[in-house]
């Protein structure tokens, strides 16, 4: 019985723990390993270890009109007009980005089935834009002349929530306790 109470207390602690998601931020100055990024090179799967891949995006050296640092790096499509897509490996419950100077365009957030969740027109600098939807699988950027920087997103981890773990632990503990406490019953069968 003492072990059951200990497991119940551990389960309660798990139930009130933080959910299984974390905020990821990308400023495009460095790769996840800390190496400097190179202007003109494709972004592609550079940030795949952070849960995001890019199609059509290239690194661009800022001429002084970036959010921070002013002469840092940002990303854009070819000739600053071609669309780029940022695809998340899991769904995101939040996604924000900043635009660069003299930049305007549209950002579209899509769900897991490719359905449009929200569209944002961006043009003011410096500004940070955030999608007010959940379940984001990909974001596309396009415009007459645009560049985007400073991505931040909350990707939902593909593991059970702490409350789910707590319920599983409690359930298995109860089954184990019941099996241990079960008494053997002798049965005699007689045939007439």
């Amino acid at each position: 019985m003492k072990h059951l109470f200990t497991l119940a207390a551990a389960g309660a602690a798990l139930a009130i723990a933080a959910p299984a998601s974390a905020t990821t931020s990308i400023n495009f100055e460095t790769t996840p390993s800390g190496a400097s990024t190179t202007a003109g090179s494709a972004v592609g799967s550079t940030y795949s270890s952070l849960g995001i891949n890019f199609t059509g995006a290239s690194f661009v050296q800022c001429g002084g009109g970036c959010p921070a640092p002013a002469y840092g790096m940002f990303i854009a499509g070819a000739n600053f007009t071609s669309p780029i897509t940022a695809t998340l490996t899991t769904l995101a419950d939040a996604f924000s980005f900043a635009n660069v100077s003299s930049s305007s365009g549209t950002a579209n957030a899509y769900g897991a089935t490719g359905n449009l969740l929200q569209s944002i027109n961006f043009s003011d600098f410096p500004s940070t834009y955030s999608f007010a939807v959940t379940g984001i699988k990909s974001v596309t950027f396009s415009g007459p002349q645009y560049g985007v920087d400073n991505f931040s997103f909350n990707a939902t981890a593909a593991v059970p929530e702490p409350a789910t773990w707590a319920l599983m632990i409690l359930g298995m503990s109860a089954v184990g306790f019941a099996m241990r406490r079960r008494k053997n019953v002798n049965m005699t069968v007689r045939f007439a």
Side-chain angles (χ1 to χ4, degrees), residues 82-162:
S82 299
I84 61 175
T85 301
T87 305
L88 298 155
T89 55
T90 61
L91 299 179
D93 291 333
F95 192 101
S96 64
F97 65 95
N99 67 325
V100 299
S101 179
S102 302
S103 173
S104 63
T106 303
N108 295 314
Y110 295 93
T113 59
N115 55 316
L116 178 63
L117 300 175
Q118 185 181 356
S119 187
I120 295 176
N121 292 319
F122 58 92
S123 61
D124 296 331
F125 174 78
S127 291
T128 298
Y129 298 88
S130 299
F131 290 103
V133 294
T134 60
I136 299 169
K137 181 63 177 172
S138 65
V139 178
T140 61
F141 299 91
S142 60
Q145 181 174 338
Y146 76 95
V148 287
D149 199 1
N150 298 341
F151 283 21
S152 181
F153 55 92
N154 285 346
T156 305
V159 296
E161 294 286 336

